[in-house]
Amino acid sequence: MSATPTTGLARFRLSLQDRVDGLCLLCMGGLMAALSRSGLYWYFLNPKFSGVTLGAGVLLCLAGLALLLRPMPGPTTAMRLWRQAVLLGFLSLAATAWGQAASEPLPGAMSPASSENAALAPEEAAPADPRPVLDGREYVRLNLAELYIMLDKGRKDYPERFALRAVVSRTPELDKRGHVLLKRTAVVCCLADSLELSFATRGNGLEALQTGDWVEVFGRLAPLDEKGADKGLVKAAPKGEGPSLSLTNPKFRIEVEAATPIQAPAFPYLFEFKEEPPFAW
Amino acid sequence: MDQNAFAIFAAIVTSIVLEAAPFLLLGSLLSSIIAVYVGDGALERLAQRSLPAQVCLGLFAGLLLPTCECGVVPVTRRLIKKGVPAGAAIPFMLAAPVVNPVSLAATWVAFQGDLTMVAGRAAMVLLPAAALGWALGGIKAAELLRPGLEMARAEGCSCGCGHGHDGHRRPGFLQGLPDVLRGTGREFLDMGLFLILGACAAGLFKVFLPQQWLGVVSANVWLAIPAMMLLAVLMSICSEADAFVAASLSMFPRPALLAFLALGPMLDLKLIPAIAGVFRRRVALVLLIAPAVGVYMLAMSLALSGAFK
């Protein structure tokens, strides 16, 4: 009479490790699936990967269910316990990071307009006018990363006059030299490979702007005099405050002809880069 | 670590793991499919081929079995357990993350259709991979793999289906599906451990590594090449995405960019614990050191010869 429950208990004990593995996978898969559908996915990865993350999350849940519902007997080893503990540790870390993203931005990172807007899809509507005219001069709207990439590749066919949105960064050293820094964070795949791209900038309408203000500038590029008046200017740009690798263009500054303060975009990071019109916005 | 640094660390580790997890899962799924559906004898026939043929097959198998470095170690482990000789499995593990359609296309796009960068990257991976395949080709599976790593199943055959070799027959698709799912889950947990530890190490370096040194070292090729190799290891970017990061670091000379693109898929903070955990110590040391030495010598040769400006 007592043999059956003992055998059942022994069988349950033997299959316990598979069940715990299954639970770990369900938690991991659930986290990935939930994050892929949340408004904060862009904070960690380029939104173009959200479908991949969702698919992987679903597959992990299926694998977890298979282990949970149809476990096989197997021994408890220190290695199995260790990998379960590490995965649970990661899940705690990820939950902390998700909570942090929901409550306040990372130090040095750019803030979105509001957490409400951040729940929207990342693709923004193209600007009403991709070629605005100001004081009789035509400008081409593009994003800062697109301009940076074109210059980086040595291309000469960048727009002569352009309009772009950026966040302002000021330091006493740059102030002394009559410049501010205009920057955007470009995310290729995930936050770990993000780049904070910036240009030293001077010109009209920048005086009243403070660090963290968003602005749309209308202007053109001018080469830096690296051996003369602009010596050390790029080195004065602040670096390393946030999670991204900071790069300031070493050859050109932006000469601003007009600047308009704007609301912070819902998605402060740039995820799309085109090298010919129509540019991403 | 202060609160801000911890916040950055947590976000970076989360983003690296979430970015790599689908690729690791794909590798685990492939590994499990091989374990359940591919007969033991099918791949063992490779061992009857000559060593040069094994090496060639291994070098270019990634074109048919695309995988990035996040998932290549579990696939390689499974291939070796299924009887694929080291002469094919080692070149596959080192070359497949680069010599596959996705990674080559990403390099081509990131460098604006510059085929010399694509070819240079492939060559810089193929040469060390071939050399190691040749050198380790005669070693048997039992001398390659650590015996203690059979974490998913301590007994039974390698498919994890719970019965012995004698009773093992290849199941039909639906019949084998639960085994595939269970095997995928176990393999993912086995290798996910190394991914998470590697991501933590990359996160620590990302938080504490001063960025200013990049500008200083990029001007000198003797510093730039080792620096980019170190960066490739520390940043641990997926081989299908690293070309975009390399393209953005254009202040570095091209041989240094090639060194970055070639070494990262063979040696990074995700791979180090995975290789050390799967292979026996001596083999692991060779697999960790030789690609770095090979890439350094090739990149320096290109830089000093002026062939790749």
Side-chain angles (χ1 to χ4, degrees), chain A residues 18 21 25 28 32 35 44-45 52 56 59-60 63 66-67 70 72-73 75 79-80 82-83 86-87 90 93-94 96-97 100 106-107 152-153 188-193 195 239-240 243-247 275, chain B residues 4 6-19 21-22 25 29 110 112 151-154 161-162 178 181-182 185-186 188-190 193 196 206 211-212 214 237 241 244-245 247-251:
Chain A
D18 259 10
D21 277 358
L25 289 171
M28 180 77 181
M32 290 174 72
L35 188 61
F44 300 99
L45 288 110
V52 175
L59 183 55
L60 277 176
L67 283 166
R70 295 182 64 180
M72 305 295 290
M79 196 62 172
R80 289 188 85 170
W82 169 232
R83 66 182 192 171
V86 168
L87 186 73
F90 165 72
L93 199 65
T96 306
Q100 173 82 20
L106 291 173
D152 220 28
K153 292 182 174 166
V188 180
C189 285
C190 73
L191 185 68
D193 59 39
L195 299 170
K239 281 184 172 63
S244 311
L245 181 65
S246 302
L247 297 171
E275 293 185 38
Chain B
N4 287 345
F6 181 76
I8 294 174
F9 171 77
I12 287 175
V13 172
T14 303
S15 66
I16 291 175
V17 173
L18 292 182
E19 182 200 21
L25 187 61
L29 180 65
Q112 288 291 295
M151 292 179 284
R153 307 294 316 158
C161 61
L181 286 173
R182 277 197 296 265
R186 292 192 191 108
F188 180 84
L189 284 172
D190 284 356
L193 166 70
I196 293 167
K206 195 93 176 157
Q211 292 187 14
Q212 284 79 356
L214 278 180
I237 306 169
F244 296 97
V245 174
S248 70
L249 297 173
S250 60
M251 74 284 271

Side-chain angles (χ1 to χ4, degrees), chain A residues 3-19:
Chain A
T4 307
T6 308
T7 308
L9 187 63
R11 200 177 296 151
F12 179 79
R13 274 188 187 157
L14 276 174
S15 64
L16 188 61
Q17 282 303 310
D18 259 10
R19 291 182 200 274

Side-chain angles (χ1 to χ4, degrees), chain B:
Chain B
M1 196 186 290
D2 66 26
Q3 201 177 347
N4 287 345
F6 181 76
I8 294 174
F9 171 77
I12 287 175
V13 172
T14 303
S15 66
I16 291 175
V17 173
L18 292 182
E19 182 200 21
F23 299 100
L24 179 63
L25 187 61
L26 182 64
S28 303
L29 180 65
L30 277 174
S31 164
S32 191
I33 287 171
I34 291 167
V36 174
Y37 293 121
V38 178
D40 288 350
L43 295 169
E44 279 172 5
R45 282 196 286 275
L46 269 177
Q48 293 161 10
R49 293 177 181 254
S50 66
L51 186 57
Q54 290 174 15
V55 171
C56 283
L57 274 170
L59 289 177
F60 297 102
L63 294 172
L64 297 175
L65 202 64
T67 178
C68 72
E69 85 278 9
C70 312
V72 77
V73 177
V75 175
T76 305
R77 181 172 69 141
R78 181 64 63 198
L79 289 173
I80 293 171
K81 281 180 170 294
K82 278 283 181 183
V84 172
I90 299 294
F92 168 77
M93 184 179 80
L94 296 173
V98 167
V99 186
N100 74 63
V102 181
S103 185
L104 292 176
T107 310
W108 186 73
V109 170
F111 286 92
Q112 288 291 295
D114 185 346
L115 285 174
T116 56
M117 285 302 284
V118 180
R121 182 183 194 187
M124 214 178 261
V125 167
L126 287 170
L127 286 172
L132 277 172
W134 192 275
L136 301 175
I139 300 180
K140 294 201 170 91
E143 294 160 8
L144 271 180
L145 301 178
R146 287 170 68 116
L149 195 81
E150 198 58 57
M151 292 179 284
R153 307 294 316 158
E155 55 194 29
C157 68
S158 57
C159 71
C161 61
H163 48 73
H165 273 287
D166 294 343
H168 188 261
R169 288 190 184 85
R170 270 185 285 167
F173 175 72
L174 285 177
Q175 196 189 354
L177 205 53
D179 289 336
V180 168
L181 286 173
R182 277 197 296 265
T184 301
R186 292 192 191 108
E187 193 89 49
F188 180 84
L189 284 172
D190 284 356
M191 304 313 295
L193 166 70
F194 304 123
L195 169 65
I196 293 167
L197 294 178
C200 287
L204 285 173
F205 279 111
K206 195 93 176 157
V207 170
F208 292 112
L209 198 68
Q211 292 187 14
Q212 284 79 356
W213 70 277
L214 278 180
V216 176
V217 298
S218 62
N220 182 330
V221 75
W222 291 93
L223 291 175
I225 288 174
M228 286 301 280
M229 289 171 64
L230 184 65
L231 201 63
V233 175
L234 299 185
M235 288 178 84
S236 303
I237 306 169
C238 175
S239 65
E240 284 158 11
D242 57 0
F244 296 97
V245 174
S248 70
L249 297 173
S250 60
M251 74 284 271
F252 281 85
R254 283 155 72 88
L257 295 180
L258 279 176
F260 175 88
L261 290 170
L263 186 63
M266 294 193 282
L267 181 69
D268 69 17
L269 289 179
K270 301 189 299 286
L271 283 168
I272 290 170
I275 289 173
V278 166
F279 293 95
R280 285 181 183 271
R281 187 182 297 173
R282 279 189 185 176
V283 176
L285 275 177
V286 171
L287 289 173
L288 295 175
I289 293 170
V293 173
V295 166
Y296 177 76
M297 289 172 65
L298 288 168
M300 284 307 296
S301 307
L302 286 176
L304 296 177
S305 68
F308 226 94
K309 285 186 177 169

